[in-house]
Amino acid sequence: IQDVLAGDAAGPLGFLAGRADMRADRLGLSGSSQAGWVLPMAASRFPSLRILQMRAGSAPMGVEESERMRLERQMRSDGVPQSEIDQAMHIRSMMDDYARTGQGWDELAAAAEAAKDELWMNNYIGLGAGFPARDALDWPWLREAFGVDVRVDLARFRGSIQMLYSENDE
C-alpha cells in the first residue's frame, strides 16, 4: 500500500516539473503521519525533489516501534495507571505478532474480549473503531507496513529534510 501511495505522491511532480511557470529545482513534498514512510519512497522515484517535510511521521522508525511508542506515551500522558498500560502493551504485542505471522488469533481474541469493557481498549487499541475482526484489512496492512524500511531512501535523498516532532505530542 505504501508503494502505491508513494507513486501517487511522486506522480504529479513530473507534471509540475514540466511546466514553464514552475521551478523544478524547488519542488518538495510535505505530509503527516504515514507520509513519514511514503514521502521518502516517493523521493526515490523523483531524484530532483529538493525538500521533504514530514510532520509527526515516524520515519526512519518502523511502524511497529512507532505504534508501541504511541500507545504507551498516549496512555501515560492521559494518566492511565501503569497496570492498564501493561495490559494494553501486552495486547499490542499480541496484535503485532498476529499481524506479522497470522498465528495466535485465539489467544489474541480472548485477551481482547476480556478487556473489551476497559476504556483503554476502545480509546487506545481500537482507536474508537473497536477491536479489528480476524478478517479486517488492518492485519494485512500492518504486515506490509512492518516490512517498510525507508532508511535507504532517506540516505539517498540529496535535498533538505525537515522532520517536525512535538515534545508533547504522543
Side-chain angles (χ1 to χ4, degrees), residues 28-170:
L29 292 171
S30 179
S32 300
S33 190
Q34 189 178 358
W37 301 292
V38 172
L39 297 186
M41 294 169 76
S44 71
R45 296 172 183 210
F46 197 81
S48 62
L49 193 70
R50 293 298 85 191
I51 188 165
L52 291 176
Q53 181 190 61
M54 295 175 279
R55 299 175 311 277
S58 298
M61 183 188 319
V63 171
E64 188 171 1
E65 183 182 359
S66 171
E67 276 303 295
R68 289 173 187 254
M69 189 180 296
R70 176 204 58 82
L71 176 61
E72 185 170 2
R73 286 183 175 179
Q74 193 172 22
M75 291 179 79
R76 192 172 311 287
S77 84
D78 288 347
V80 175
Q82 186 62 47
S83 61
E84 294 180 31
I85 293 172
D86 292 344
Q87 285 180 287
M89 295 303 290
H90 177 68
I91 290 176
R92 180 76 232 186
S93 291
M94 294 172 73
M95 290 172 67
D96 294 347
D97 289 344
Y98 176 72
R100 194 179 314 96
T101 68
Q103 303 296 313
W105 174 258
D106 293 337
E107 296 83 6
L108 171 57
E113 177 64 25
K116 73 178 181 184
D117 295 328
E118 300 290 341
L119 182 63
W120 55 264
M121 186 63 176
N122 189 48
N123 287 357
Y124 303 105
I125 299 281
L127 298 177
F131 189 76
R134 186 177 197 157
D135 61 350
L137 295 177
D138 303 56
W139 306 117
W141 182 89
L142 279 173
R143 187 174 307 114
E144 180 183 338
F146 287 171
V148 172
D149 183 352
V150 297
R151 290 178 293 182
V152 171
D153 295 323
L154 286 170
R156 288 184 183 150
F157 183 67
R158 294 296 166 234
S160 298
I161 299 175
Q162 183 182 44
M163 292 185 180
L164 306 171
Y165 296 100
S166 171
E167 180 179 346
N168 298 318
D169 182 3
E170 301 80 37

